[in-house]
């Protein structure tokens, strides 16, 4: 009967339990420069989905068939996006294992790709925006808890809700000829359950951006500033206790508010406001969507990400009629010159 060998704390071999490999890789993730939310999500994948399934196997017992079956189970039971993240974690773990000689190589690279189907982007129409804004500004609870002002701000900037929750009045310049806001952080929940401001947006330091504000939003923000404590370090959208507001709670409050005003047949999440901004700014003067660069700069994303995730397709081409003139026959190009 073979007896499993328990390696020393620092040793990783083919006989090492995957549980230990998980802990080793998790420690490296914690020391990395990954965003706090990414670290939290990886930890959830490791603890909730991988450790229970393969933690008691040794590294040597984990074949490509074993790992692929594990990912298929996660995909079926939880969903493809979670399985895809699990595969990312496994790849990191097996890179570490191969570095220590516990595996002949990163066998995760041999596994089948996990394809997650992109859902169509859905944005609010102009009529829906007007209905939502007008309705929220007649709802006493939405006015009292700041949801009306929050939705206005999201529609005026395309910011993520976590970025809005992180804003303090020092980030605004509302009294200049060209009023702006600086989006430079986001509220996240860390492992122990508390809320902190991550010092950069979701996309990393390059996602920081200063945005010009439309006049109607400036008027709303000045009115809000006049009603609230507004020292430079005071939060613009605080919780009822004046502390950092949980984006999850704000989402729930927004959904309840939209239910109250009867807006129930459209997406009710704040991210739809971001998609609405992306869709609106991508539209060019001819009704096409060639201004992706404008939308991307506003949202702090690349053009590829913006086109894929934040622009609702209109299926309408640009006005390029003059470029088709080259296909015309001579008599078609100058019909007025024809004679009887």
């Amino acid at each position: 009967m073979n007896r499993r060998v328990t390696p020393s704390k620092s040793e990783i071999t083919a006989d090492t339990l995957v549980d230990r490999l998980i802990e080793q890789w998790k420690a490296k993730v914690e020391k990395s420069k990954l965003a706090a939310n990414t670290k939290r999500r990886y930890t959830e994948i490791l603890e909730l989905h991988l450790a229970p399934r393969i933690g008691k196997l040794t590294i040597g017992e984990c074949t490509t068939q074993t790992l692929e079956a594990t990912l298929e189970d996660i995909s079926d039971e939880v969903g493809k996006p979670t399985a895809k993240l699990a595969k990312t974690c496994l790849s990191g773990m097996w890179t570490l294992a191969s570095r220590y000689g516990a595996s002949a190589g990163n066998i995760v690279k041999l596994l089948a790709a996990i394809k997650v189907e992109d859902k169509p982007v859905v944005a609010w129409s102009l009529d829906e925006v007007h209905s939502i804004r007008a309705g929220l500004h007649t709802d006493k609870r939405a006015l009292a808890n700041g949801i009306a002002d929050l939705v206005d701000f999201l529609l005026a900037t395309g910011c993520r809700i976590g970025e809005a929750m992180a804003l303090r009045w020092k980030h605004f310049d509302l009294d200049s000829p060209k009023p702006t806001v600086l989006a430079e952080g986001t509220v996240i929940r860390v492992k122990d359950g508390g809320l902190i401001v991550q010092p950069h947006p979701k996309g990393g330091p390059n996602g920081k951006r200063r945005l010009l504000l439309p006049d109607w939003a400036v008027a709303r923000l000045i009115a809000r500033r006049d009603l609230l404590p507004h020292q430079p370090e005071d939060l613009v959208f605080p919780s009822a206790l004046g502390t950092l507001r949980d984006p999850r709670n704000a989402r729930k409050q927004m959904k309840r508010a939209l239910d109250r005003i009867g807006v129930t047949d459209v997406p009710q999440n704040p991210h739809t406001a971001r998609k609405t901004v992306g869709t609106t700014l991508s539209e060019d003067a001819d009704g096409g969507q060639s201004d992706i660069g404008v939308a991307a700069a506003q949202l702090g994303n690349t053009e590829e990400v913006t086109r894929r995730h934040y622009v609702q397709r209109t299926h309408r081409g640009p006005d390029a009629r003059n470029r088709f003139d080259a296909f015309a026959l001579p008599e078609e190009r100058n019909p007025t010159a024809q004679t009887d």
Side-chain angles (χ1 to χ4, degrees):
M1 179 178 178
N2 292 331
R3 186 169 58 87
R4 289 177 177 170
V5 178
T6 302
S8 66
K9 186 175 181 181
S10 61
E11 185 182 5
I12 298 179
T13 71
D15 293 321
T16 301
L17 292 180
V18 173
D19 269 341
R20 179 165 294 180
L21 179 61
I22 286 175
E23 292 305 316
Q24 293 270 2
W25 189 70
K26 194 187 332 181
K28 288 189 174 294
V29 168
E30 284 300 320
K31 294 177 182 178
S32 72
K33 295 182 179 180
L34 291 171
N37 258 353
T38 302
K39 293 178 181 179
R40 177 184 60 78
R41 187 67 177 125
Y42 283 174
T43 298
E44 289 175 353
I45 295 292
L46 294 168
E47 295 178 352
L48 298 180
H49 303 296
L50 292 179
R53 288 178 169 86
I54 60 173
K56 301 308 177 186
L57 298 177
T58 67
I59 294 172
E61 290 173 328
C62 290
T63 64
T64 54
Q65 287 181 321
T66 302
L67 297 182
E68 197 151 274
T70 298
L71 294 177
E72 287 176 358
D73 287 344
I74 295 172
S75 180
D76 292 341
E77 296 170 18
V78 188
K80 286 185 177 180
T82 301
K84 193 167 185 177
L85 274 178
K87 186 180 179 184
T88 298
C89 292
L90 286 174
S91 184
M93 290 161 53
W94 254 260
T95 295
L96 181 63
S98 62
R99 189 179 303 155
Y100 282 92
S103 175
N106 188 346
I107 62 174
V108 180
K109 294 182 179 180
L110 302 176
L111 304 184
I114 299 173
K115 295 182 179 179
V116 180
E117 294 181 7
D118 289 334
K119 296 181 180 179
V121 175
V122 178
W124 293 325
S125 68
L126 187 57
D127 287 343
E128 288 166 347
V129 167
H130 290 160
S131 178
I132 288 169
R133 292 196 61 226
L136 291 178
H137 279 281
T138 60
D139 185 86
K140 292 182 179 180
R141 288 173 64 182
L143 289 170
N145 63 21
I147 290 298
D149 287 342
L150 174 62
V151 172
D152 278 351
F153 175 78
L154 297 178
L155 284 167
T157 60
C159 283
R160 302 176 180 89
I161 190 169
E163 293 172 338
M165 299 295 96
L167 289 172
R168 302 178 187 274
W169 289 109
K170 68 180 181 180
H171 294 115
F172 286 87
D173 184 0
L174 297 178
D175 301 312
S176 72
K178 293 184 177 180
T180 62
V181 60
L182 174 63
E184 64 173 354
T186 187
V187 171
I188 62 170
R189 183 172 292 279
V190 292
K191 186 176 180 181
D192 62 4
L195 297 173
I196 65 166
V197 175
Q198 179 177 275
H200 57 77
K202 179 182 177 182
N206 289 336
K208 295 182 181 182
R209 59 210 186 278
R210 184 172 291 279
L211 304 172
L212 291 164
L213 295 165
D215 291 342
W216 60 266
V218 173
R220 294 289 188 186
L221 286 162
I222 289 175
R224 181 172 183 79
R225 183 183 64 182
D226 292 344
L227 291 173
L228 294 174
H230 52 271
Q231 293 301 311
E233 293 296 328
D234 287 329
L235 292 162
V236 179
F237 300 105
S239 70
L241 299 177
T243 57
L244 284 175
R245 192 173 193 167
D246 191 333
R248 294 184 300 185
N249 293 340
R251 290 187 188 96
K252 293 175 183 177
Q253 290 174 319
M254 177 178 166
K255 184 180 186 307
R256 288 196 289 266
L258 293 178
D259 284 340
R260 287 196 302 271
I261 65 174
V263 179
T264 58
D265 57 348
V266 300
Q268 296 178 307
N269 58 77
H271 216 55
T272 305
R274 183 170 168 83
K275 295 174 184 177
T276 302
V277 171
T279 300
T280 299
L281 295 188
S282 72
E283 295 175 352
D284 54 43
D286 295 326
Q289 293 182 320
S290 64
D291 287 345
I292 293 291
V294 176
Q298 182 78 19
L299 301 183
N301 287 126
T302 64
E303 291 189 19
E304 180 182 355
V305 168
T306 300
R307 181 180 290 105
R308 184 175 179 182
H309 296 290
Y310 294 106
V311 175
Q312 178 174 300
R313 293 295 183 90
T314 61
H315 303 289
R316 177 177 177 177
D319 186 353
R321 291 172 294 175
N322 62 324
R323 300 189 185 185
F324 291 93
D325 288 347
F327 300 160
L329 297 172
E331 63 270 21
E332 293 171 328
R333 294 176 192 167
N334 202 4
T336 57
Q338 296 182 30
T339 57
D340 294 333

